[in-house]
Amino acid sequence: MKKFNEYSSFEDRLLVTLKKGPCDLMTLSHKLKEDILPVSSMLEHLKVFDKVEVYKEKWQIKRKQ
């Protein structure tokens, strides 16, 4: 398990990457230079907190409604 600072930093990196544009899981994993499993896990975590969503099989920052 990652330490809190690493975990928080990973979350921030993921959100910054998604702000640049929607990505599928493989592309996002490649851009972050991380394995698919931790990226997928973090995306699901952020989805629960309404920070990200899946639209047309691509992850993106949650749109305000």
Side-chain angles (χ1 to χ4, degrees):
M1 187 67 165
K2 293 183 182 249
K3 294 179 183 173
F4 180 75
N5 288 339
E6 292 174 15
Y7 184 82
S8 179
S9 170
F10 181 52
E11 179 180 333
D12 293 341
R13 284 187 1 209
L14 195 143
L15 290 172
V16 166
T17 304
L18 286 177
K19 283 181 184 176
K20 294 176 183 176
C23 294
D24 61 36
L25 182 58
M26 288 293 273
T27 304
L28 191 55
S29 175
H30 181 71
K31 285 182 180 181
L32 294 170
K33 297 180 175 89
E34 293 280 345
D35 292 333
I36 289 176
L37 189 58
V39 173
S40 176
S41 178
M42 179 60 79
L43 287 169
E44 290 301 326
H45 169 76
L46 293 171
K47 186 177 178 183
V48 169
F49 289 100
D50 276 346
K51 292 185 179 182
V52 297
E53 64 185 356
V54 178
Y55 181 72
K56 294 186 179 180
E57 298 182 20
K58 291 194 175 188
W59 289 92
Q60 64 184 17
I61 299 293
K62 178 89 175 192
R63 296 179 186 176
K64 303 289 181 199
Q65 293 186 7

